[in-house]
Amino acid sequence: MADNPIIYVNPHFQKLTGYSADEIIGKNCRFLQGPESDKTVVRECHDAIHSNVHFRGELVNYRKDGSLFWNHLTVSPVKDEAGNALFFVGIQLDVTEQKMALLERDKLIEELNAINTGLNRFALTTSHELKNPLSVIIGFAHMLRDRYLASLDQKAQHLLERISANALYLSRCLDDLRQFGSLGHAPLKFEPVNLASLIRDVVSVLGIEAESSYVHFSQSLPTITCNFPLMMQVFRNLIDNAVKYGMGQEQGIFIDARLRENNWCQIEVSDRGPGVLPNILRSIFDPFVSSGESTGGTGLGLAIVKKIIEVHKGHIRCQSGSQGTTFTIEIPTSGLALQSESHL
């Protein structure tokens, strides 16, 4: 039939659009379209009907009172034995509430991403601007200690040491802050890395004596695709934390990894220490949260670890109790190897 006029509508269609049956019968459904109706979707629907095939899509339509609604439209041909379309059945579903919620979510995500970009830029700029004068302070403190320490009384020596220690602490904070802000923005190279070899390098860098080996791991750990320096930092931070807070020095640190389905690897770094306090555990990956008593850390270590794992499209979680603490990492073993460079 020319122009595919509507020949039947049910009461729900009338209630949804505000039109009566007399106002609808005989018209093409395009009368529901308006300024915000997506022309591409309209064309796709028209082509599907012209080709006698099924169509499904979402389109802005308008009620009789002029208000718009999001219409999840399904149109299916009813064919005779010869395969000719006799007529089409259209089903409309008002998805305005769900669509608006999704649009609001997307808008919020966009705003949060803009805020996050601004904060990262602020962190990078601030750390850069503060680093130079701080280096001067550290240099003068060292000069005073080297040249005049012997001529200072005990109180003055103590004050000088406090100046030097706090300046160095602030310098480490700025370095961590700069790295935290830059992660995911600079290009990264991914390559196959054997976990056992990587952990051996970390143990060596940390200066852990072989004869006092309390870092236990299998030499047959699997290979994953990752950025080698960043993944070294992950294990260095986790192992160093266990050592720093006395969790692994006596009973050991245990590292295990197993391949899972769909090219994923699960890695566990565990200790047998006293555990993390519940109030700290809840926010352990947040910036400036320390996982134990203060030992000069910046509180950014685990936040950086989490961000590194996320750059690798993985996840990390922490479980802790009186019997010890376990960090569990889930990360793809491959797939990123196809990309010589990647951004978050």
Side-chain angles (χ1 to χ4, degrees):
M1 190 176 295
D3 204 31
N4 297 308
I6 298 171
I7 60 175
Y8 169 80
V9 291
N10 62 19
H12 179 73
F13 183 94
Q14 298 174 57
K15 181 179 179 181
L16 173 61
T17 63
Y19 292 97
S20 67
D22 291 339
E23 294 174 300
I24 299 170
I25 301 299
K27 292 183 178 179
N28 184 284
C29 60
R30 74 171 68 91
F31 80 96
L32 295 174
Q33 298 168 18
E36 295 189 41
S37 301
D38 190 328
K39 302 304 181 184
T40 300
V41 178
V42 171
R43 172 56 59 183
E44 291 173 354
C45 181
H46 175 272
D47 292 344
I49 293 174
H50 183 73
S51 302
N52 295 334
V53 296
H54 179 82
F55 169 81
R56 178 178 293 168
E58 291 182 353
L59 181 68
V60 169
N61 281 162
Y62 290 81
R63 300 182 178 91
K64 184 178 180 178
D65 63 7
S67 61
L68 65 80
F69 67 96
W70 278 93
N71 179 13
H72 182 84
L73 176 64
T74 302
V75 180
S76 299
V78 177
K79 299 180 180 180
D80 60 18
E81 294 181 355
N84 300 311
L86 299 175
F87 49 88
F88 293 85
V89 175
I91 300 175
Q92 292 188 323
L93 180 63
D94 183 1
V95 293
T96 305
E97 190 173 319
Q98 299 94 312
K99 192 71 176 181
M100 297 308 294
L102 289 175
L103 292 173
E104 186 65 26
R105 181 204 64 180
D106 292 343
K107 180 181 177 182
L108 180 60
I109 290 174
E110 184 178 348
E111 291 175 351
L112 289 174
N113 285 336
I115 292 172
N116 188 51
T117 299
L119 289 174
N120 286 338
R121 188 180 297 115
F122 174 77
L124 291 171
T125 302
T126 302
S127 62
H128 176 76
E129 292 298 325
L130 293 178
K131 192 70 175 178
N132 288 336
L134 186 60
S135 298
V136 174
I137 294 173
I138 293 173
F140 282 150
H142 287 170
M143 187 182 300
L144 285 172
R145 184 181 59 192
D146 293 342
R147 296 185 181 181
Y148 305 106
L149 186 64
S151 63
L152 298 176
D153 61 26
Q154 187 173 2
K155 183 176 181 179
Q157 290 181 14
H158 175 73
L159 291 174
L160 180 58
E161 290 300 325
R162 297 309 304 154
I163 291 173
S164 181
N166 281 276
L168 289 172
Y169 169 76
L170 183 55
S171 179
R172 290 195 299 272
C173 283
L174 292 176
D175 289 339
D176 286 351
L177 189 62
R178 181 163 49 187
Q179 182 180 23
F180 184 77
S182 64
L183 274 172
H185 297 280
L188 297 176
K189 180 180 179 181
F190 295 92
E191 59 185 321
V193 174
N194 179 262
L195 285 174
S197 176
L198 183 146
I199 294 169
R200 283 196 298 271
D201 289 346
V202 171
V203 170
S204 175
V205 168
L206 289 175
I208 299 175
E209 301 280 341
E211 55 270 18
S212 63
S213 177
Y214 46 77
V215 180
H216 307 284
F217 61 96
S218 170
Q219 298 300 316
S220 60
L221 292 179
T223 295
I224 62 173
T225 300
C226 64
N227 177 269
F228 181 79
L230 289 183
M231 197 55 60
M232 267 199 74
Q233 186 169 356
V234 167
F235 284 94
R236 176 174 179 171
N237 191 293
L238 295 179
I239 294 173
D240 192 42
N241 266 4
V243 174
K244 184 188 300 179
Y245 299 119
M247 299 174 183
Q249 292 187 25
E250 295 182 0
Q251 301 186 54
I253 303 163
F254 302 86
I255 302 174
D256 190 23
R258 65 186 71 90
L259 295 177
R260 293 172 46 195
E261 57 186 13
N262 299 325
N263 294 323
W264 280 79
C265 181
Q266 180 171 304
I267 306 166
E268 293 182 347
V269 180
S270 305
D271 63 60
R272 301 294 183 265
V276 180
L277 294 175
N279 62 315
I280 295 177
L281 184 62
R282 287 190 292 270
S283 55
I284 195 167
F285 294 109
D286 292 349
F288 305 110
V289 172
S290 177
S291 56
E293 295 182 1
S294 177
T295 55
T298 65
L300 279 169
L302 289 178
I304 291 174
V305 165
K306 182 175 184 290
K307 202 163 185 180
I308 291 173
I309 296 301
E310 290 174 347
V311 167
H312 287 78
K313 312 303 181 186
H315 315 279
I316 183 170
R317 63 182 185 273
C318 178
Q319 295 173 295
S320 187
S322 59
Q323 302 301 311
T325 301
T326 297
F327 287 90
T328 302
I329 299 170
E330 294 178 339
I331 191 170
T333 58
S334 61
L336 295 175
L338 301 176
Q339 308 174 32
S340 60
E341 293 185 343
S342 177
H343 294 77
L344 181 58

